Amino acid sequence: MAKRRSAMTPGTPFTYLAAVLVVGITVVPLLFTVLGGFRTNAQINTSPAGWPKPWVLSNYTEVLSSSIFWRAMGNSAFIALVATALAVAVGSMAAFALSRYTFKGREGLYTLFTIGLLFPLSAAALPLYLLLRQLNLLEHALGVALPEAAFSLPITIVILRPFMHAIPGELEDAAAMDGAGKLGFFWRILLPLSRPALTTVAILAFVTSWNAYLLPLLVLSDPTDFTLPLGVAAFQTQYSQDTARILAYTAASMIPAIGFFVFAERRIVGGLTGSVKG
Amino acid sequence: VLDDEVFLHSLLHNIIIAALSVAIQLPLSIAIALLLNRRIRGRAALRLVVFAPYVLSEAITAVVWLLMLQPDGLVDQIFRAAGLGGAIQEWLADGNLVLYTLFVVITWKYLGFGIILLLAGLQSIPAELREAAATDGASAWQTTRSITLPLLGPTIRIWIFLSIIGSLQLFDLVWIMTLGGPANASSTMAVYLLDHGFSRYEFGYGSAVSVVLFVVCFIFALIYQRFALRRDTEGALTRIVE
C-alpha cells in the first residue's frame, strides 16, 4: 500500500476543485435535511439555505420522544437481524456442502444459485404475496424477514463458496486425523477461517434488509409494524404540510444507517468493490 | 400486457433510465475517479462522504429530494440565487420533465458507488504500466486511453451490468416521489406491476406483468453475459474474498 501511494501522482488544484465539487453535491441534500430539522416551517419557506436562526429543537425532541419512531426502528432492527442470521446460517451450510463435497449435480445447483442473483424481487412480489397469505405471514415481521433471507442467499453463497473452496484440503485431513468429523471441521475450522467473508455477507444482508421498501410495503399495513423506510414515507404523506417535522424524522432515521456505515465502511465498500483482502 | 400502451411506456422509461445511466453516469464516474485517483489530503474522508448516499435507503433519498424539489424549495432557491430563476420548472409535476428529474436523483444516490468501484479498479492497475508508457513518450491522455481504460474494462462492464439491472427494477424512488405520475409519465415496470397487481387487485394480470419483467431482466442478463461479461463475473465475484 505504501509503495502504491508513493507512486500516485500528487493532486493538483484542479483535483481539489473536483473533490470539493463532488463532496458539495453529495453533502448539500444531507445538510439540508439535518439542518432543516432545526428550523420552523416558516424558516424553511423563507430561507431553506444557510444556518437555522434561531435553532429550533422541538422537531427533533418530538420525533425522538414519539413511540412511532422507536417502534419503526425496533421493527427494522428485528427484521434485519433475523434475515441476516438466517441468510448467514443457511448460506454458510449450503456453501459448505457446495465447496467441500463432490456430488452429482453440484455445479448445476451452484448455477441455480447464481441465477438467483438476477431474479428481481419485484418480479416475485405477487406469487410471494399470495404464498405469504396462505402461510398466514402477512402483517407479520417474519413475513418480511424470511423472504429477505431467501433473497440474500444467492450473493451469500456466491461469495462464500469460493472462499471456503480455497481453504486447503490438508487442514481438513489434519482435522480428521485429530478426530474431528465433517461437522466438527465445519464448525471449528471452516467457519472461524471464513470470518472475513462471513462478515462481508452479513453486512450486505443487513444493509439490504434495513433499506428494503417494496417487501415491507406489501406485507405490513399496520403503522405500528412499519420499518423505517416505510415509516419515513408514511410520515411524509401524513404530515405533508409540516416540512420541518418530516426533515427531523428523516434525519433521525438516517443516523443508524450512517453510523453503521461509518463503522463498517471498509467491509461494505470492500464487499461491493471486490477488494477485501481477508 | 404487451398490448397495453401504459406498460410499454413503463418499459420504455426503464430503458431510458438505463441508457441515460450508461451515457451520463458512467463517463462522469470515470472522469471523477480518474481525477480523484491521486494523492490528496483527506482521501479517506472523501471516500466516506462520496459513498454515503449509497447506504441511505431509497425511501429516505426519495423523501429528501421530494422536499427539496417542492415549488419554492431549496432547489428553486439555489437556481434563483445563481441567477437562473427563469430555468425553474415544475420538476415533478411536468410530464415531460419528471423522468429526467428522477434520473438526477438516481444519479445523486448511485454516482458515489460507481466512483468507489472505479477507484478500486484503478488501484489494481500497476503504476509501472503507466510509468512505462510515460517513458515511451505517451501523453497523459494517451496513457489514460490506451492503458488505464482498457485495464478498467472488467470493472466498467460489471458497473454497466449492475446499473442496467438496477434501472430495470427501479421502484422505491418512483413510488414514493411520484407514484408513476403525473399521468404515468414516470411509471416503470415495477410501478406498473404494483399498481395493477395490488392497488387494483388484478392478480392474474399482475402475474403476467411479473413474468414479462423477469423475462426482460433475464434476457438482458443472458445477452450481456454472452457478449460482454463472459469470465468477468466469475473473476469479480471470486476476487471479492481473495
Side-chain angles (χ1 to χ4, degrees), chain A residues 9 11 15 25 119 122 126 211, chain B residues 35 39 41 55 108 193 206 214:
Chain A
T9 25
T15 316
I25 292 173
F119 192 61
S122 40
L126 261 173
N211 286 340
Chain B
L35 269 175
R39 200 164 20 140
R41 279 159 191 269
V55 283
W108 178 80
L193 166 67
F214 175 62

Side-chain angles (χ1 to χ4, degrees), chain A residues 4 8-9 11 15-16 23 25-26 32 118-120 122-123 126 129 163 211 213 236 261 265 269 276-277, chain B residues 35 38-39 41 46 51 55 57 66 68 108 116 123 161 169 172 193 198 203 206-207 210 214 240-241:
Chain A
R4 252 192 216 158
M8 268 160 74
T9 25
T15 316
Y16 283 98
V23 168
I25 292 173
T26 311
F32 165 76
L118 303 173
F119 192 61
S122 40
L126 261 173
Y129 178 83
F163 194 93
N211 286 340
Y213 178 73
Q236 191 270 327
F261 168 60
E265 188 246 0
V269 176
V276 176
K277 303 282 182 216
Chain B
L35 269 175
R38 289 161 184 264
R39 200 164 20 140
R41 279 159 191 269
L46 185 76
F51 202 64
V55 283
S57 60
L66 198 57
M68 294 206 318
W108 178 80
I116 299 282
Q123 293 285 313
F161 181 74
Q169 300 178 16
D172 301 3
L193 166 67
F198 291 91
F203 286 128
S207 304
S210 310
F214 175 62
I240 287 174
V241 279

Side-chain angles (χ1 to χ4, degrees), chain A residues 102-192:
Chain A
T102 36
F103 54 90
K104 221 173 146 192
R106 184 177 81 162
E107 294 312 305
L109 203 58
Y110 182 59
T111 311
L112 191 68
F113 279 118
T114 41
I115 290 177
L117 282 177
L118 303 173
F119 192 61
L121 179 61
S122 40
L126 261 173
L128 197 57
Y129 178 83
L130 299 175
L131 181 69
L132 289 171
R133 193 167 66 178
Q134 278 180 349
L135 293 171
N136 272 325
L137 281 172
L138 286 186
E139 308 298 331
H140 199 291
L142 281 183
V144 181
L146 292 178
E148 278 178 354
F151 272 86
S152 287
L153 269 186
I155 187 73
T156 307
I157 292 172
V158 166
I159 291 181
L160 282 181
R161 180 181 121 129
F163 194 93
M164 291 186 172
H165 203 74
I167 290 171
E170 287 82 14
L171 273 179
E172 197 170 347
D173 299 339
M177 209 96 88
D178 291 341
K182 274 271 185 193
L183 280 181
F185 169 70
F186 172 65
W187 189 247
R188 297 200 182 165
I189 296 178
L190 202 60
L191 280 188

Side-chain angles (χ1 to χ4, degrees), chain A residues 12-33:
Chain A
T12 58
F14 192 53
T15 316
Y16 283 98
L17 188 70
V20 168
L21 209 64
V22 171
V23 168
I25 292 173
T26 311
V27 164
V28 163
L30 301 177
L31 272 185
F32 165 76
T33 312

